Every structure is written in structure tokens, then in C-alpha cells.
Amino acid sequence: MGEEKQHSIPALPWMRDPVDITLSQQLPLDSVPSLHPKLKSALEDLGISNLFPVQVAVWHETVGPGNFERDICVNSPTGSGKTLAYALPLVQMLSDRITRCLRALVVVPTRDLALQVKQVFDAIASPLGLRVGLAVGQSSLADEIFELVEMPAHDISTYYDPHHVSLPRFQSKVDILVATPGRLMDHINTTKGFTLEHLYYLVVDETDRLLREAYQSWLPTVLELIQSNDDVFFQPADSFFPCSVGALRTRRRCGVERGFKDKPYPRLAKMVLSATLTQDPGRIIQLNLHHPLLLKAGQMRYRLPENLESFKLICDKNVKPLYLIALLKSLGEEKCLVFTKSVDSTHRLCQLLNCFEDLQIDIKEYSSLQHQRVRSKTLNEFRKGVFQVLVSSDALTRGMDVEGVRNVINYDVPKYIKTYVHRAGRTARAGQTGRCFTLMSEDEVRRFKKLMRKAEGGSCLDHNISSSLIEALYTSYQSALTKYKVIISKTQKKPKK
Ligand SMILES: Nc1ncnc2c1ncn2[C@@H]1O[C@H](COP(=O)(O)OP(=O)(O)OP(=O)(O)O)[C@@H](O)[C@H]1O
């Protein structure tokens, strides 16, 4: 992660002069210019009466006077409302569409995040008659195709056959698609009738994470498909284009672009967002942004939520699990997320904690070692409050919004400030209060303090647990360890003869 070492002044000139989101105020729905009445009442049904500053700023640059003339990059803290910041303008802009085509594509890194984003879209898009699809590999490819593409009555096979001479009429069943890169590529490569040719809007959520992982070159592929459509736009109407199997060809927005001296320029509008947006020109360039505008909260690249309190808890590393247990006990019934450094550590820690007989706290794990179905079930139960403590590694928690998480605990000190931002950001969301505790040994303190100086709002208090509380746990620790060793020996594979 060489990016961490970069100087904090961005190399890209347009990144040096951002619009500061913190200067925007919350805006009551009645004052939001041009807000569709149905969108307003959908928001009210969600209990939303004001737009958050990032939503106001994005609205201003898209639906408002900005009119989507520039591609939008958003760097705003975790829990500040980025999902609705992009979902609202998309739904508003598509509300007057006449035919149903795939007009907006939202790419996110994980399935659970995609499900969460789809729920947000469903709540605001359905009242305006827009359909939202999901391409995440939750169901079989065939089931997913059934939900996304209307097959011509006579055509029963679902996969693309390049030798098929007559071009049947496929119809998209969705206006907006939320996808993970892998499944998106499956549809691009194999699903007949799945086309991006009508796309107006591309959203890349958790951009830095998605740009870091190539996932079968999904981004160059999507951009190339869109680019080739733009090229075809200027070709004579009778020219052959293999993707034009659908309904009408769509004309992308053809506005007067700022800086283009009244030259009409059809293009796809892009929005890219993250709480830790990359400043690396080598990565940003991959997005092929058009005259980009950066919307950013505050001065520094990393910013922690306003109502987050950070604490460091210095432990004796020989009995670190006891500090965690003492901390969990002191937090009572509050929902907690515990982060470890790896999936293996997550598994081991969760097993060990469950070996403490008198703990009386329900603890489950959430990791990529588990089957997706198990993981989704665990997450749903955690959302509903069926159990109270979830132990997780980093990979899957980007963007996850679980109501009522009051505490985040870093069992292992995060290596990078970016990791701290995303972990801590699972609490103190939407203006709520929250706490992040980081367990560390004495010799890790210096590095941790240095790490926290990289973030706005990175001040950190001490949280102490008395040694008598730790000593009181020694006996149960011994019996938990014995029980844990039995479990480990049973699960370890027997050597082959
Ligand atoms: N205008 C609003 N009024 C009240 N609540 C809101 C508003 N906008 C968003 N929220 C709530 O704020 C929470 C955080 O929103 P969201 O998940 O979009 O944050 P985010 O900025 O994408 O965070 P992350 O960077 O962690 O992905 C959600 O529970 C959402 O329902």
C-alpha cells in the first residue's frame, strides 16, 4: 500500500482545489431545488427530513445548477450519507424516462454491500416506477438473468451465441443495476441481451478498494464498452453494432460541457466515492474521468466522524483476550464490532471467546472463510440484535451500515490509517455517537499515535482496565484455554498415512 507514503498534497491539479462539503448545511426537503414530490415522500417514509451536507453538495452538482456537467469525486467520512448522495440524483434524473433500459450502473466491492445499496435504491426508486436489479452471484446465473433481462418469447437459451444471425429483441427488466465486479463481468461476457449501451450513469462506490482489485479487468471492460458505444453514436444509422440487440439506441446526455466552448459532447456521467478516496494519479486515471470535480470534507485526506471518540487500551500481550473480555463486559448489552488482522485470527478469537463459560455474551464471526449464505445470515441476525458481538476481519466491512453499533474494537492495531477509518466508521454514523477502542501493547503506542495524526479528528484518549479485573478472569481463562485446545485438536486434520 505505497499510497500511504504519498505526500498529502495531491499530484492531480483538480484534486488540490476541492469543494469543501463541510461548508454545506443540512437542507430541509422542502428547500431542495427540483426534488420530485414522489422522491420527497419516499424520503419522508424513510424518516428523512433533511439532506445531509454531502447529499446537498452532490445534488447541487448533478440535478442542481451543476447539471452533471462534470464527473463527481466524493471524499467524505464514513456514515456521512454517500449512498443517498448518489442514489437521489440518479433516481430523480431517471424519473422521467420513457422506456425501460439499463441506465445506471452502481459497482460496489462486496455482495452484502450490494444488497444494502439495493435496499436504499428500492426504497426511493420503486415509488417513481423505476426497477432496480442486483448482479452479485447470490442466486444462480440463470435466476439472475431472469430478473435482469426479458427474453424474446421464442428464445429459451440465455447465453450469448456470436454465430446467431438474427438479432432477437431483448428488453432490460431494470433501470438501475447494483453489481459486484465479478458477476458484472459474467453478465457482460455471457448473458444475451445484457447491454451497457444505454448507460447514462456509472457509480463506483468504495472506489479506492475497487481500483485496487482488478477483478478480471472489469473497469477497462466497462469503459471500453461505453466508449465503443460513444463511437457508434456518430456512425451512420445503418452501421452494424453487435450490442444493438435491444430497443432504441440511447443518446447519452448531450449537454454543453464546461470548458468545451459550447461543444456538445455525449458522455457517460460518473460518480466515484469513498471515505478514503485515492489521490494516486495512476489509479484515478483508470476511471477516465471527464473534467472531474472533487467534493471533500475538511482539509485532510482522512477524516473521522465528528461524534466518534477514539480510545487506546494498553494491555499485557500475554493475556490480551482478557482485556477484550473485560472491555466487552463493561460495555453491557451494547452492540460491538471486533476487528482482527486476518480471517484466521477472527476465527480463532471467536472460538476462544465462546470457550469462556461465564461470559454470557453472544459472539459470532463474519469472515470470508464462511459460505456467503452463512455470512449473510450472521449479518442479518446482527442487524436484528439477535446477538451482540460480531468478530470480523477487514475485507467485508467496507460501507456496511448496521444500526445501533455503539462500539468498534480493534483487537489488533490497524496497519494503516485507512483501515482505522473504515473500521471505526462502522459506528458514529449519520451524526450518532460512537466509540472506537484499540487494544495495544506498550511498544505499539508510538506507531499508533503516528498513525492517528494522519486523520482529522484523530485525537485519542486512554481507556484503562484495572489489573484486579484482569486477575479475576485468570481462572476462567485457564479453563477456556483447555476447552479451546480440545476444539483445535479435533478440527486439525489428521496427517495422511
Ligand atoms: N439525510 C439523511 N437523514 C437521516 N439519515 C440519513 C440521511 N442520509 C443517510 N442517512 C443514514 O445514514 C447512514 C449512513 O449512510 P451511508 O451508509 O450512505 O454512509 P456512507 O457515507 O456511505 O458510509 P461509508 O463510507 O461507511 O460507506 C445510513 O443509515 C443512512 O440511512
Side-chain angles (χ1 to χ4, degrees), residues 48 50-52 55 77-84 116 206 275 399 401 426 429-430:
I48 290 176
N50 294 288
L51 291 195
F52 284 168
Q55 295 156 0
T78 51
S80 58
K82 292 186 288 297
T83 315
L84 275 176
Q116 183 183 298
E206 302 295 346
D401 185 58
R426 297 315 101 211
R429 297 175 71 74

Side-chain angles (χ1 to χ4, degrees), residues 231-468:
D231 295 345
V232 166
F233 173 72
F234 292 108
Q235 286 177 13
D238 58 352
S239 67
F240 173 76
F241 183 65
C243 280
S244 61
V245 290
L248 302 170
R249 178 173 312 289
T250 299
R251 220 181 135 110
R252 295 223 173 86
R253 73 177 301 284
C254 197
V256 177
E257 305 291 345
R258 259 183 236 159
F260 279 79
K261 297 205 171 128
D262 300 343
K263 189 178 164 214
Y265 188 84
R267 68 175 181 90
L268 177 90
K270 296 180 199 124
M271 286 193 269
V272 305
L273 311 91
S274 173
T276 54
L277 192 71
T278 180
Q279 295 182 351
D280 181 351
R283 293 208 197 280
I284 292 277
I285 203 157
Q286 295 171 37
L287 291 157
N288 192 21
L289 296 173
H290 169 77
H291 206 43
L293 178 71
L294 176 62
L295 309 179
K296 184 165 176 277
Q299 299 301 312
M300 290 173 73
R301 177 170 171 204
Y302 302 110
R303 187 182 167 98
L304 290 161
E306 243 161 62
N307 296 327
L308 175 82
E309 281 184 296
S310 295
F311 296 93
K312 58 180 182 303
L313 170 52
I314 299 174
C315 334
D316 171 355
K317 52 185 159 193
N318 298 316
V319 286
K320 198 173 174 185
L322 300 189
Y323 284 82
L324 176 61
I325 287 181
L327 179 60
L328 289 174
K329 283 187 165 191
S330 72
L331 297 174
E333 310 244 298
E334 293 182 350
K335 252 188 209 174
C336 299
L337 245 171
V338 179
F339 284 102
T340 72
K341 61 181 176 224
S342 68
V343 283
D344 287 334
S345 311
T346 294
H347 187 59
R348 285 197 302 267
L349 181 64
C350 191
Q351 274 188 322
L352 176 64
L353 293 176
N354 281 312
C355 289
F356 279 81
E357 270 161 11
D358 54 354
L359 190 56
Q360 291 176 340
I361 299 176
D362 286 334
I363 299 171
K364 288 197 178 179
E365 74 179 285
Y366 180 78
S367 90
S368 57
L369 285 182
Q370 297 167 312
H371 192 280
Q372 175 67 36
R373 230 174 300 127
V374 176
R375 228 158 51 204
S376 297
K377 183 168 174 270
T378 304
L379 191 61
N380 277 338
E381 288 178 357
F382 188 53
R383 283 189 199 285
K384 286 183 194 152
V386 174
F387 66 95
Q388 190 185 334
V389 177
L390 186 66
V391 186
S392 176
S393 58
D394 295 306
L396 304 164
T397 45
R398 275 274 192 136
M400 292 313 301
D401 185 58
V402 177
E403 212 191 321
V405 174
R406 301 255 61 86
N407 307 288
V408 167
I409 302 173
N410 290 316
Y411 185 73
D412 296 306
V413 181
K415 262 193 185 165
Y416 307 106
I417 186 63
K418 194 187 263 197
T419 316
Y420 186 91
V421 167
H422 287 286
R423 287 181 179 183
R426 297 315 101 211
T427 186
R429 297 175 71 74
Q432 306 269 307
T433 56
R435 291 175 292 189
C436 180
F437 300 89
T438 305
L439 275 61
M440 67 195 80
S441 59
E442 200 64 71
D443 51 2
E444 288 175 302
V445 173
R446 234 181 106 215
R447 192 177 67 80
F448 180 68
K449 281 186 176 169
K450 198 172 156 210
L451 188 87
M452 294 298 278
R453 279 199 288 274
K454 293 184 181 173
E456 220 166 315
S459 63
C460 197
L461 303 167
D462 284 318
H463 184 82
N464 297 313
I465 290 183
S466 78
S467 49
S468 60

Side-chain angles (χ1 to χ4, degrees), residues 149-155 164 166-172 192-194 197-198 243-249:
V149 183
E150 183 89 61
M151 295 294 154
H154 65 275
D155 198 309
H164 202 119
S166 71
L167 295 174
R169 293 203 156 258
F170 294 90
Q171 178 71 47
S172 176
K192 262 206 279 186
F194 181 84
E197 71 175 317
H198 306 294
C243 280
S244 61
V245 290
L248 302 170
R249 178 173 312 289

Side-chain angles (χ1 to χ4, degrees), residues 477-493:
Y477 189 32
Q478 289 313 320
S479 50
L481 276 179
T482 313
K483 210 170 152 191
Y484 176 69
K485 279 176 194 159
V486 174
I487 295 174
I488 294 295
S489 63
K490 276 186 191 161
T491 50
Q492 265 168 357
K493 281 180 192 160

